[in-house]
Amino acid sequence: THHGAYDLTYLRMIPEMVVMVPKDGAELRRMVEFSHGYDDGPSVVRYPRGDTASLDESSVPPIELGKAHLLQPGRDVALLAVGTMVAVAEEVAETLQADGFSVAVVNGRFVKPLDAERITALASTVHLLVTLEENTAHGGFGSGVLEVLSGAGVTVPTQVFGIPDRFIAQGSPDQQREDAGLSAEQVLAKIRERLFVLH
């Protein structure tokens, strides 16, 4: 568990726990400030190891409890990501757009509580909903999104990207993402396969 692959799963099950995942250093700072001022229960900020390229907080919208950040709208595919996988989602979206698809990208920010309003609104308009996280696919962000959709009675083809049900060997973050099938190239290939089936 030292590389945090199970954090989101075990933290989600704790009652009244608030779980945040920043996409970069600037958002991490904002989330720490939010957590400091949050008095209604326990809160956690789950951040990855490694360096960050962004520390400019002026570019980060305010953190609101349970609210995701829509980075770009889209009509065909919605990519909902947390943490470092937001950058992967943006890279994948750029290529899919070059293929002619309209792609929404959402920085989930919160794993608990989830932005149910945003999730259900997107699911009602796109042909494919995709979740991306650096956490085991069992019980994490993607599972939470599926729970929201089930509770709202919304049906949409959904693809969950997370760490598979096996231990990932020690290595750099990039090496571990590759091993887990979470590189931009691997994610893109699997989404293209799904879109081919849908169309």
PDB file of all heavy atoms in Angstrom, residues 12-42:
ATOM      1  N   ARG A  12     -13.051   6.219   0.855  1.00  0.00           N
ATOM      2  CA  ARG A  12     -14.431   6.462   0.445  1.00  0.00           C
ATOM      3  C   ARG A  12     -15.442   5.826   1.389  1.00  0.00           C
ATOM      4  O   ARG A  12     -16.563   6.312   1.530  1.00  0.00           O
ATOM      5  CB  ARG A  12     -14.693   5.903  -0.960  1.00  0.00           C
ATOM      6  CG  ARG A  12     -14.292   6.799  -2.098  1.00  0.00           C
ATOM      7  CD  ARG A  12     -14.755   6.212  -3.429  1.00  0.00           C
ATOM      8  NE  ARG A  12     -16.205   6.258  -3.544  1.00  0.00           N
ATOM      9  CZ  ARG A  12     -16.977   5.226  -3.851  1.00  0.00           C
ATOM     10  NH1 ARG A  12     -16.461   4.040  -4.064  1.00  0.00           N
ATOM     11  NH2 ARG A  12     -18.282   5.384  -3.956  1.00  0.00           N
ATOM     12  N   MET A  13     -15.071   4.728   2.027  1.00  0.00           N
ATOM     13  CA  MET A  13     -16.049   4.001   2.844  1.00  0.00           C
ATOM     14  C   MET A  13     -16.219   4.598   4.240  1.00  0.00           C
ATOM     15  O   MET A  13     -17.124   4.218   4.970  1.00  0.00           O
ATOM     16  CB  MET A  13     -15.641   2.528   2.968  1.00  0.00           C
ATOM     17  CG  MET A  13     -14.403   2.279   3.796  1.00  0.00           C
ATOM     18  SD  MET A  13     -13.954   0.538   3.795  1.00  0.00           S
ATOM     19  CE  MET A  13     -12.460   0.586   4.788  1.00  0.00           C
ATOM     20  N   ILE A  14     -15.380   5.552   4.617  1.00  0.00           N
ATOM     21  CA  ILE A  14     -15.469   6.143   5.962  1.00  0.00           C
ATOM     22  C   ILE A  14     -16.566   7.202   5.974  1.00  0.00           C
ATOM     23  O   ILE A  14     -16.528   8.145   5.185  1.00  0.00           O
ATOM     24  CB  ILE A  14     -14.121   6.752   6.382  1.00  0.00           C
ATOM     25  CG1 ILE A  14     -13.036   5.668   6.381  1.00  0.00           C
ATOM     26  CG2 ILE A  14     -14.232   7.418   7.747  1.00  0.00           C
ATOM     27  CD1 ILE A  14     -11.634   6.186   6.624  1.00  0.00           C
ATOM     28  N   PRO A  15     -17.563   7.073   6.861  1.00  0.00           N
ATOM     29  CA  PRO A  15     -18.674   8.028   6.888  1.00  0.00           C
ATOM     30  C   PRO A  15     -18.204   9.471   7.068  1.00  0.00           C
ATOM     31  O   PRO A  15     -17.291   9.748   7.845  1.00  0.00           O
ATOM     32  CB  PRO A  15     -19.503   7.572   8.094  1.00  0.00           C
ATOM     33  CG  PRO A  15     -19.194   6.118   8.230  1.00  0.00           C
ATOM     34  CD  PRO A  15     -17.747   5.991   7.837  1.00  0.00           C
ATOM     35  N   GLU A  16     -18.824  10.384   6.319  1.00  0.00           N
ATOM     36  CA  GLU A  16     -18.593  11.830   6.393  1.00  0.00           C
ATOM     37  C   GLU A  16     -17.189  12.259   5.982  1.00  0.00           C
ATOM     38  O   GLU A  16     -16.813  13.422   6.159  1.00  0.00           O
ATOM     39  CB  GLU A  16     -18.924  12.357   7.795  1.00  0.00           C
ATOM     40  CG  GLU A  16     -20.369  12.107   8.195  1.00  0.00           C
ATOM     41  CD  GLU A  16     -20.714  12.683   9.551  1.00  0.00           C
ATOM     42  OE1 GLU A  16     -19.905  13.454  10.101  1.00  0.00           O
ATOM     43  OE2 GLU A  16     -21.789  12.347  10.062  1.00  0.00           O
ATOM     44  N   MET A  17     -16.415  11.352   5.440  1.00  0.00           N
ATOM     45  CA  MET A  17     -15.065  11.691   4.979  1.00  0.00           C
ATOM     46  C   MET A  17     -15.133  12.470   3.670  1.00  0.00           C
ATOM     47  O   MET A  17     -15.876  12.108   2.763  1.00  0.00           O
ATOM     48  CB  MET A  17     -14.241  10.423   4.771  1.00  0.00           C
ATOM     49  CG  MET A  17     -12.830  10.656   4.253  1.00  0.00           C
ATOM     50  SD  MET A  17     -11.762  11.478   5.454  1.00  0.00           S
ATOM     51  CE  MET A  17     -11.395  10.110   6.567  1.00  0.00           C
ATOM     52  N   VAL A  18     -14.373  13.549   3.579  1.00  0.00           N
ATOM     53  CA  VAL A  18     -14.227  14.303   2.335  1.00  0.00           C
ATOM     54  C   VAL A  18     -12.887  13.929   1.729  1.00  0.00           C
ATOM     55  O   VAL A  18     -11.857  14.002   2.401  1.00  0.00           O
ATOM     56  CB  VAL A  18     -14.302  15.829   2.587  1.00  0.00           C
ATOM     57  CG1 VAL A  18     -13.917  16.602   1.336  1.00  0.00           C
ATOM     58  CG2 VAL A  18     -15.698  16.220   3.046  1.00  0.00           C
ATOM     59  N   VAL A  19     -12.899  13.511   0.452  1.00  0.00           N
ATOM     60  CA  VAL A  19     -11.676  13.048  -0.206  1.00  0.00           C
ATOM     61  C   VAL A  19     -11.433  13.887  -1.459  1.00  0.00           C
ATOM     62  O   VAL A  19     -12.269  13.912  -2.364  1.00  0.00           O
ATOM     63  CB  VAL A  19     -11.769  11.561  -0.591  1.00  0.00           C
ATOM     64  CG1 VAL A  19     -10.447  11.089  -1.206  1.00  0.00           C
ATOM     65  CG2 VAL A  19     -12.133  10.712   0.615  1.00  0.00           C
ATOM     66  N   MET A  20     -10.295  14.568  -1.490  1.00  0.00           N
ATOM     67  CA  MET A  20      -9.921  15.418  -2.622  1.00  0.00           C
ATOM     68  C   MET A  20      -8.656  14.891  -3.287  1.00  0.00           C
ATOM     69  O   MET A  20      -7.786  14.334  -2.614  1.00  0.00           O
ATOM     70  CB  MET A  20      -9.678  16.858  -2.156  1.00  0.00           C
ATOM     71  CG  MET A  20     -10.910  17.553  -1.609  1.00  0.00           C
ATOM     72  SD  MET A  20     -10.522  19.137  -0.805  1.00  0.00           S
ATOM     73  CE  MET A  20     -10.007  18.555   0.820  1.00  0.00           C
ATOM     74  N   VAL A  21      -8.558  15.097  -4.614  1.00  0.00           N
ATOM     75  CA  VAL A  21      -7.379  14.671  -5.367  1.00  0.00           C
ATOM     76  C   VAL A  21      -6.985  15.801  -6.316  1.00  0.00           C
ATOM     77  O   VAL A  21      -7.684  16.063  -7.292  1.00  0.00           O
ATOM     78  CB  VAL A  21      -7.651  13.384  -6.178  1.00  0.00           C
ATOM     79  CG1 VAL A  21      -6.353  12.874  -6.793  1.00  0.00           C
ATOM     80  CG2 VAL A  21      -8.286  12.313  -5.320  1.00  0.00           C
ATOM     81  N   PRO A  22      -5.870  16.489  -6.053  1.00  0.00           N
ATOM     82  CA  PRO A  22      -5.456  17.612  -6.905  1.00  0.00           C
ATOM     83  C   PRO A  22      -4.785  17.152  -8.190  1.00  0.00           C
ATOM     84  O   PRO A  22      -4.114  16.119  -8.223  1.00  0.00           O
ATOM     85  CB  PRO A  22      -4.460  18.363  -6.022  1.00  0.00           C
ATOM     86  CG  PRO A  22      -3.846  17.283  -5.184  1.00  0.00           C
ATOM     87  CD  PRO A  22      -4.946  16.292  -4.927  1.00  0.00           C
ATOM     88  N   LYS A  23      -4.958  17.946  -9.248  1.00  0.00           N
ATOM     89  CA  LYS A  23      -4.333  17.601 -10.528  1.00  0.00           C
ATOM     90  C   LYS A  23      -2.900  18.120 -10.618  1.00  0.00           C
ATOM     91  O   LYS A  23      -2.125  17.656 -11.444  1.00  0.00           O
ATOM     92  CB  LYS A  23      -5.161  18.127 -11.701  1.00  0.00           C
ATOM     93  CG  LYS A  23      -5.171  19.628 -11.893  1.00  0.00           C
ATOM     94  CD  LYS A  23      -6.049  20.007 -13.087  1.00  0.00           C
ATOM     95  CE  LYS A  23      -6.069  21.500 -13.345  1.00  0.00           C
ATOM     96  NZ  LYS A  23      -4.786  22.035 -13.821  1.00  0.00           N
ATOM     97  N   ASP A  24      -2.535  19.114  -9.773  1.00  0.00           N
ATOM     98  CA  ASP A  24      -1.183  19.670  -9.800  1.00  0.00           C
ATOM     99  C   ASP A  24      -0.888  20.376  -8.482  1.00  0.00           C
ATOM    100  O   ASP A  24      -1.718  20.398  -7.568  1.00  0.00           O
ATOM    101  CB  ASP A  24      -1.002  20.629 -10.985  1.00  0.00           C
ATOM    102  CG  ASP A  24      -2.035  21.744 -11.016  1.00  0.00           C
ATOM    103  OD1 ASP A  24      -2.504  22.175  -9.930  1.00  0.00           O
ATOM    104  OD2 ASP A  24      -2.379  22.206 -12.122  1.00  0.00           O
ATOM    105  N   GLY A  25       0.302  20.956  -8.382  1.00  0.00           N
ATOM    106  CA  GLY A  25       0.723  21.592  -7.146  1.00  0.00           C
ATOM    107  C   GLY A  25      -0.120  22.787  -6.746  1.00  0.00           C
ATOM    108  O   GLY A  25      -0.380  23.006  -5.558  1.00  0.00           O
ATOM    109  N   ALA A  26      -0.548  23.568  -7.723  1.00  0.00           N
ATOM    110  CA  ALA A  26      -1.364  24.739  -7.432  1.00  0.00           C
ATOM    111  C   ALA A  26      -2.707  24.321  -6.836  1.00  0.00           C
ATOM    112  O   ALA A  26      -3.187  24.916  -5.859  1.00  0.00           O
ATOM    113  CB  ALA A  26      -1.582  25.559  -8.700  1.00  0.00           C
ATOM    114  N   GLU A  27      -3.307  23.289  -7.415  1.00  0.00           N
ATOM    115  CA  GLU A  27      -4.590  22.823  -6.886  1.00  0.00           C
ATOM    116  C   GLU A  27      -4.406  22.164  -5.523  1.00  0.00           C
ATOM    117  O   GLU A  27      -5.281  22.257  -4.648  1.00  0.00           O
ATOM    118  CB  GLU A  27      -5.235  21.850  -7.872  1.00  0.00           C
ATOM    119  CG  GLU A  27      -6.705  21.603  -7.583  1.00  0.00           C
ATOM    120  CD  GLU A  27      -7.449  20.999  -8.751  1.00  0.00           C
ATOM    121  OE1 GLU A  27      -7.226  19.800  -9.051  1.00  0.00           O
ATOM    122  OE2 GLU A  27      -8.258  21.722  -9.366  1.00  0.00           O
ATOM    123  N   LEU A  28      -3.257  21.524  -5.316  1.00  0.00           N
ATOM    124  CA  LEU A  28      -2.952  20.951  -4.001  1.00  0.00           C
ATOM    125  C   LEU A  28      -2.964  22.038  -2.936  1.00  0.00           C
ATOM    126  O   LEU A  28      -3.546  21.880  -1.862  1.00  0.00           O
ATOM    127  CB  LEU A  28      -1.590  20.249  -4.039  1.00  0.00           C
ATOM    128  CG  LEU A  28      -0.999  19.810  -2.702  1.00  0.00           C
ATOM    129  CD1 LEU A  28      -1.912  18.833  -1.984  1.00  0.00           C
ATOM    130  CD2 LEU A  28       0.391  19.200  -2.911  1.00  0.00           C
ATOM    131  N   ARG A  29      -2.332  23.173  -3.226  1.00  0.00           N
ATOM    132  CA  ARG A  29      -2.315  24.269  -2.267  1.00  0.00           C
ATOM    133  C   ARG A  29      -3.729  24.747  -1.950  1.00  0.00           C
ATOM    134  O   ARG A  29      -4.090  24.987  -0.799  1.00  0.00           O
ATOM    135  CB  ARG A  29      -1.483  25.428  -2.817  1.00  0.00           C
ATOM    136  CG  ARG A  29       0.010  25.198  -2.781  1.00  0.00           C
ATOM    137  CD  ARG A  29       0.759  26.372  -3.387  1.00  0.00           C
ATOM    138  NE  ARG A  29       2.183  26.311  -3.114  1.00  0.00           N
ATOM    139  CZ  ARG A  29       3.054  27.195  -3.573  1.00  0.00           C
ATOM    140  NH1 ARG A  29       2.651  28.205  -4.336  1.00  0.00           N
ATOM    141  NH2 ARG A  29       4.345  27.079  -3.284  1.00  0.00           N
ATOM    142  N   ARG A  30      -4.545  24.886  -2.995  1.00  0.00           N
ATOM    143  CA  ARG A  30      -5.937  25.320  -2.813  1.00  0.00           C
ATOM    144  C   ARG A  30      -6.716  24.331  -1.949  1.00  0.00           C
ATOM    145  O   ARG A  30      -7.528  24.717  -1.111  1.00  0.00           O
ATOM    146  CB  ARG A  30      -6.625  25.455  -4.171  1.00  0.00           C
ATOM    147  CG  ARG A  30      -6.191  26.648  -4.988  1.00  0.00           C
ATOM    148  CD  ARG A  30      -6.951  27.882  -4.603  1.00  0.00           C
ATOM    149  NE  ARG A  30      -6.819  28.918  -5.613  1.00  0.00           N
ATOM    150  CZ  ARG A  30      -7.324  30.120  -5.499  1.00  0.00           C
ATOM    151  NH1 ARG A  30      -8.009  30.454  -4.422  1.00  0.00           N
ATOM    152  NH2 ARG A  30      -7.162  31.014  -6.449  1.00  0.00           N
ATOM    153  N   MET A  31      -6.479  23.048  -2.161  1.00  0.00           N
ATOM    154  CA  MET A  31      -7.195  22.024  -1.410  1.00  0.00           C
ATOM    155  C   MET A  31      -6.760  21.984   0.050  1.00  0.00           C
ATOM    156  O   MET A  31      -7.577  21.741   0.943  1.00  0.00           O
ATOM    157  CB  MET A  31      -7.016  20.654  -2.069  1.00  0.00           C
ATOM    158  CG  MET A  31      -7.798  20.515  -3.352  1.00  0.00           C
ATOM    159  SD  MET A  31      -7.579  18.904  -4.141  1.00  0.00           S
ATOM    160  CE  MET A  31      -8.729  19.047  -5.509  1.00  0.00           C
ATOM    161  N   VAL A  32      -5.490  22.216   0.293  1.00  0.00           N
ATOM    162  CA  VAL A  32      -5.014  22.271   1.682  1.00  0.00           C
ATOM    163  C   VAL A  32      -5.665  23.453   2.403  1.00  0.00           C
ATOM    164  O   VAL A  32      -6.098  23.333   3.557  1.00  0.00           O
ATOM    165  CB  VAL A  32      -3.474  22.365   1.740  1.00  0.00           C
ATOM    166  CG1 VAL A  32      -3.001  22.677   3.152  1.00  0.00           C
ATOM    167  CG2 VAL A  32      -2.844  21.064   1.249  1.00  0.00           C
ATOM    168  N   GLU A  33      -5.769  24.593   1.717  1.00  0.00           N
ATOM    169  CA  GLU A  33      -6.452  25.756   2.289  1.00  0.00           C
ATOM    170  C   GLU A  33      -7.919  25.446   2.569  1.00  0.00           C
ATOM    171  O   GLU A  33      -8.453  25.789   3.631  1.00  0.00           O
ATOM    172  CB  GLU A  33      -6.353  26.954   1.334  1.00  0.00           C
ATOM    173  CG  GLU A  33      -4.963  27.531   1.198  1.00  0.00           C
ATOM    174  CD  GLU A  33      -4.861  28.548   0.068  1.00  0.00           C
ATOM    175  OE1 GLU A  33      -5.898  28.869  -0.554  1.00  0.00           O
ATOM    176  OE2 GLU A  33      -3.734  29.014  -0.211  1.00  0.00           O
ATOM    177  N   PHE A  34      -8.577  24.783   1.615  1.00  0.00           N
ATOM    178  CA  PHE A  34      -9.978  24.406   1.795  1.00  0.00           C
ATOM    179  C   PHE A  34     -10.133  23.478   2.997  1.00  0.00           C
ATOM    180  O   PHE A  34     -11.025  23.654   3.829  1.00  0.00           O
ATOM    181  CB  PHE A  34     -10.517  23.722   0.532  1.00  0.00           C
ATOM    182  CG  PHE A  34     -11.911  23.190   0.678  1.00  0.00           C
ATOM    183  CD1 PHE A  34     -13.010  23.999   0.415  1.00  0.00           C
ATOM    184  CD2 PHE A  34     -12.136  21.875   1.082  1.00  0.00           C
ATOM    185  CE1 PHE A  34     -14.303  23.515   0.562  1.00  0.00           C
ATOM    186  CE2 PHE A  34     -13.416  21.386   1.240  1.00  0.00           C
ATOM    187  CZ  PHE A  34     -14.509  22.202   0.973  1.00  0.00           C
ATOM    188  N   SER A  35      -9.257  22.475   3.077  1.00  0.00           N
ATOM    189  CA  SER A  35      -9.307  21.499   4.162  1.00  0.00           C
ATOM    190  C   SER A  35      -9.105  22.168   5.519  1.00  0.00           C
ATOM    191  O   SER A  35      -9.762  21.832   6.506  1.00  0.00           O
ATOM    192  CB  SER A  35      -8.249  20.418   3.933  1.00  0.00           C
ATOM    193  OG  SER A  35      -8.380  19.370   4.847  1.00  0.00           O
ATOM    194  N   HIS A  36      -8.198  23.146   5.550  1.00  0.00           N
ATOM    195  CA  HIS A  36      -7.933  23.873   6.795  1.00  0.00           C
ATOM    196  C   HIS A  36      -9.183  24.591   7.297  1.00  0.00           C
ATOM    197  O   HIS A  36      -9.421  24.681   8.507  1.00  0.00           O
ATOM    198  CB  HIS A  36      -6.809  24.886   6.574  1.00  0.00           C
ATOM    199  CG  HIS A  36      -6.526  25.743   7.774  1.00  0.00           C
ATOM    200  ND1 HIS A  36      -5.946  25.244   8.913  1.00  0.00           N
ATOM    201  CD2 HIS A  36      -6.761  27.059   8.013  1.00  0.00           C
ATOM    202  CE1 HIS A  36      -5.828  26.219   9.804  1.00  0.00           C
ATOM    203  NE2 HIS A  36      -6.319  27.319   9.283  1.00  0.00           N
ATOM    204  N   GLY A  37      -9.996  25.088   6.375  1.00  0.00           N
ATOM    205  CA  GLY A  37     -11.192  25.815   6.763  1.00  0.00           C
ATOM    206  C   GLY A  37     -12.446  24.974   6.844  1.00  0.00           C
ATOM    207  O   GLY A  37     -13.529  25.490   7.151  1.00  0.00           O
ATOM    208  N   TYR A  38     -12.321  23.664   6.603  1.00  0.00           N
ATOM    209  CA  TYR A  38     -13.492  22.782   6.603  1.00  0.00           C
ATOM    210  C   TYR A  38     -13.669  22.171   7.993  1.00  0.00           C
ATOM    211  O   TYR A  38     -12.796  21.448   8.479  1.00  0.00           O
ATOM    212  CB  TYR A  38     -13.319  21.669   5.560  1.00  0.00           C
ATOM    213  CG  TYR A  38     -14.503  20.749   5.457  1.00  0.00           C
ATOM    214  CD1 TYR A  38     -15.682  21.165   4.846  1.00  0.00           C
ATOM    215  CD2 TYR A  38     -14.453  19.462   5.976  1.00  0.00           C
ATOM    216  CE1 TYR A  38     -16.779  20.333   4.754  1.00  0.00           C
ATOM    217  CE2 TYR A  38     -15.542  18.609   5.889  1.00  0.00           C
ATOM    218  CZ  TYR A  38     -16.705  19.051   5.275  1.00  0.00           C
ATOM    219  OH  TYR A  38     -17.790  18.207   5.188  1.00  0.00           O
ATOM    220  N   ASP A  39     -14.811  22.455   8.633  1.00  0.00           N
ATOM    221  CA  ASP A  39     -15.020  22.045  10.031  1.00  0.00           C
ATOM    222  C   ASP A  39     -16.144  21.036  10.221  1.00  0.00           C
ATOM    223  O   ASP A  39     -16.510  20.726  11.356  1.00  0.00           O
ATOM    224  CB  ASP A  39     -15.324  23.276  10.897  1.00  0.00           C
ATOM    225  CG  ASP A  39     -14.180  24.270  10.940  1.00  0.00           C
ATOM    226  OD1 ASP A  39     -13.017  23.815  10.945  1.00  0.00           O
ATOM    227  OD2 ASP A  39     -14.442  25.489  10.947  1.00  0.00           O
ATOM    228  N   ASP A  40     -16.710  20.521   9.130  1.00  0.00           N
ATOM    229  CA  ASP A  40     -17.888  19.655   9.259  1.00  0.00           C
ATOM    230  C   ASP A  40     -17.553  18.165   9.306  1.00  0.00           C
ATOM    231  O   ASP A  40     -18.456  17.330   9.280  1.00  0.00           O
ATOM    232  CB  ASP A  40     -18.859  19.911   8.102  1.00  0.00           C
ATOM    233  CG  ASP A  40     -19.463  21.303   8.168  1.00  0.00           C
ATOM    234  OD1 ASP A  40     -19.550  21.863   9.280  1.00  0.00           O
ATOM    235  OD2 ASP A  40     -19.849  21.824   7.107  1.00  0.00           O
ATOM    236  N   GLY A  41     -16.284  17.831   9.390  1.00  0.00           N
ATOM    237  CA  GLY A  41     -15.889  16.429   9.448  1.00  0.00           C
ATOM    238  C   GLY A  41     -14.467  16.256   8.962  1.00  0.00           C
ATOM    239  O   GLY A  41     -13.790  17.231   8.638  1.00  0.00           O
ATOM    240  N   PRO A  42     -14.002  15.013   8.889  1.00  0.00           N
ATOM    241  CA  PRO A  42     -12.626  14.768   8.435  1.00  0.00           C
ATOM    242  C   PRO A  42     -12.490  15.007   6.935  1.00  0.00           C
ATOM    243  O   PRO A  42     -13.441  14.835   6.169  1.00  0.00           O
ATOM    244  CB  PRO A  42     -12.396  13.296   8.769  1.00  0.00           C
ATOM    245  CG  PRO A  42     -13.772  12.690   8.741  1.00  0.00           C
ATOM    246  CD  PRO A  42     -14.700  13.768   9.231  1.00  0.00           C
TER     247      PRO A  42
END
